[in-house]
Amino acid sequence: MLLDYDRLGFWRWILVAIGVVVMLFLLLPILFIAALSFGDSQWLVFPPPGWTLQWYEQLLTDPVWLNSLFTSAKVAVIVTVLSVVLGLLAALGLARSKFFGKSALQAFFLTPMVLPVVVLAVALYAFFLKLGLTGTLTGFVIGHLIIALPFSIITIGNSLQSFDPALEDAAMICGAGPLEVKWRVTLPAIRLGMFAAAIFSFLISWDEVVLSIFMASPTLQTLPVLIWSTLRQDLTPVIAAASTLLVAFTIVLMLLASLLKKGTRS
Amino acid sequence: MSTALSSTTVPVRRRFKLGPGARGIKLLIPVLLLLAVFFLVPVLALLLRSIMEPVPGLQNYVELLGSQTYVRVFFNTFMVAGVVTLITLLVGFPTAWLLAIMPKRWSQVMFAILLLSMWTNLLARTYAWMVLLQQTGLVNRVLMAIGVIDEPLTLVNNLIGVTIGMTYIMLPFLVLPLHATLRAIDPSTLRAAAICGASRWQALRLVLLPLALPGIASGALMVFVMSLGYYVTPALLGGTGYMMLAELIAQLVQSLLNWGLAGAAAFVLLVVTLGLYAVQLRYLGGGRSGMGDR
């Protein structure tokens, strides 16, 4: 009965009350920022005295913001491609091999996910200072790739688990070559996992702050770095506009992902 | 590493899908190289600096654990992580419970909100709380309007702000895996408890909580560990007067160029983090939000 919604009695209303409060707690700040981004108060008065698009105009006409947006997109796309390709190789390798120390290697592949990002950021920063990679696109890509990869490996690995390798055997028996089997049998079967890995990788790179702060130079910075350095000075509504655009973008990606999920179920 | 990998004899049937046994292993080489060069080497090099700079020895660790300033940072870090974990649990458990049992129509709405919050840019969420909690912010104005307080409270640039912001960020990380644990519990165990005459409290205390305990413990541990190493939110909501460990590491590198001490602080954070994850794997059977153990 404690796990039966209809027979929970008055406890149900306690749970519902807590649930509603938590949902409002999670949702309202995001809506609040979206509202402020259209408000005309420089001092972020709420509710805003009037409505305006001037913060978006400032954001989208300022070359510094536009450049950082462009850098973010470029880094995220490169990271996504590399992360899915390398993640696929690693996931296939882990799923299709047996050797001594495999689970240790698997754990090693996933450590970047549990290591505090600041430790990795400072370590990579020192390393890149020596190699001259700070403030370069390569620096950003490598940093983001390291933390995106574990998610790719896990997501693709999970979808490989529900794929029956006997299908590959069948294709081979029917005369397909090894590469043709991978291309026409395995990859189509795990494409959902690869797609999820791509979305994860993109969002991880797109939202990454800590590593990026250390990789950035005054001439090359991603959008989160620019938001960060602006935030340390003041709370200008331009950031509300930038944040709202980021939220909108996230919603689009999430909808896309859920549509794809639905599309394959039916 | 690859020298240690012995290619085992492969049964004939498997040769169809594997090719020669070593082929699967070859696929691992790119990622292994990438992580060795750009992950393992840099992290080890940083840790090495903690015992090599400015002179070889343990003086960095002595300074870190001996000075009042740095002990204060450790205290802040563990206290905030502990309080955040506690609040997240108290609020997150009922939420996860509700999410696990409520009709699908409503649980889908809750899922959407949880995922939206989780995937919304971290800076955007932190910015929201910086605006909401400032002296003239909405929270203070509402509290004053309904007469709870007369003067605006100082809610940012201290540990209250950090705690609120961190709780906000950690909630989905607890609710989502815990909801999976609760869903996996067979409702008939609770029906059995009711038939045997257990009151609601007894059923909660003696059946539901013990069954959910692995999920609760691993979720709480994950929130605690993640909170220990967080940088962005504490730095923006806490200000310099209330520093936490991750911020200290960044500051030591960026402003003070004290790589030795930064390495030592990073080592402490690393040991605590990986140690607690090891505890989780060992005693709670992994299950880091159900992803890592498959």
Side-chain angles (χ1 to χ4, degrees), chain A residues 2-3 5 8 22 25-26 46 90 93 96 99 105 114-115 122 124 169 172 200 207 224 231 235-236 250, chain B residues 5 13 16-18 24 27-28 32 38 91 97 101 103 119 121 123 127-128 141 168 190 200 253 270 277:
Chain A
L2 284 187
L3 286 175
Y5 184 70
L8 206 52
V22 168
F25 176 66
L26 288 177
F46 190 89
R96 302 291 161 80
F99 53 85
L105 190 69
V114 296
L115 191 83
V122 169
L124 263 186
D169 296 353
M172 281 225 181
F200 272 136
D207 281 343
L231 263 187
L235 297 176
T236 163
T250 309
Chain B
L5 318 173
R13 208 193 73 83
F16 271 108
K17 57 193 174 211
L18 284 178
L27 295 173
L28 298 172
L32 187 61
F38 292 109
V91 186
W97 183 1
I101 61 173
W119 284 108
N121 186 287
L123 283 169
Y127 171 72
R141 290 228 322 275
Y168 181 74
L190 286 144
R200 285 198 165 87
V253 167
L270 197 79
Y277 273 124

Side-chain angles (χ1 to χ4, degrees), chain B residues 209-224:
Chain B
L209 279 178
L211 283 175
L213 196 61
I216 294 176
S218 79
L221 201 63
M222 192 176 84
V223 168
F224 185 75

Side-chain angles (χ1 to χ4, degrees), chain A residues 167-225:
Chain A
L167 286 175
E168 288 188 357
D169 296 353
M172 281 225 181
I173 290 164
C174 294
L179 272 181
E180 199 187 354
V181 167
K182 284 276 174 298
W183 185 250
R184 292 183 56 190
V185 179
T186 319
L187 288 188
I190 58 168
R191 66 175 191 282
L192 257 197
M194 288 172 62
F195 187 75
I199 289 194
F200 272 136
S201 305
F202 188 92
L203 278 177
I204 286 168
S205 167
W206 180 255
D207 281 343
E208 213 295 319
V209 197
V210 184
L211 277 165
S212 307
I213 293 170
F214 284 89
M215 294 305 133
S217 72
T219 47
L220 190 74
Q221 50 188 348
T222 56
L223 188 59
V225 177

Side-chain angles (χ1 to χ4, degrees), chain B residues 2 35 43 50-51 79 82 87 93 107 125 141 152 161 167 192 196 210 225 237 240 246 254-255 283 290 292:
Chain B
S2 59
L35 290 182
V43 171
S50 73
I51 50 169
M79 197 181 73
I87 301 176
F93 179 75
S107 67
R125 287 180 283 167
R141 290 228 322 275
T167 306
C196 296
V225 175
L237 284 168
T240 42
Q254 284 176 317
S255 330
Y283 294 103

Side-chain angles (χ1 to χ4, degrees), chain A residues 18-77:
Chain A
I18 296 175
V20 167
V21 170
V22 168
M23 289 304 122
L24 289 178
F25 176 66
L26 288 177
L27 193 58
L28 286 183
I30 299 175
L31 297 179
F32 173 72
I33 287 306
L36 277 187
S37 74
F38 296 104
D40 66 357
S41 155
Q42 169 81 47
W43 311 112
L44 302 159
V45 175
F46 190 89
W51 305 97
T52 174
L53 285 174
Q54 68 176 81
W55 313 119
Y56 288 92
E57 203 187 316
Q58 267 187 39
L59 187 72
L60 297 173
T61 52
D62 184 344
V64 178
W65 282 99
L66 283 180
N67 274 335
S68 71
L69 192 71
F70 186 60
T71 308
S72 269
K74 211 158 49 176
V75 172
V77 168

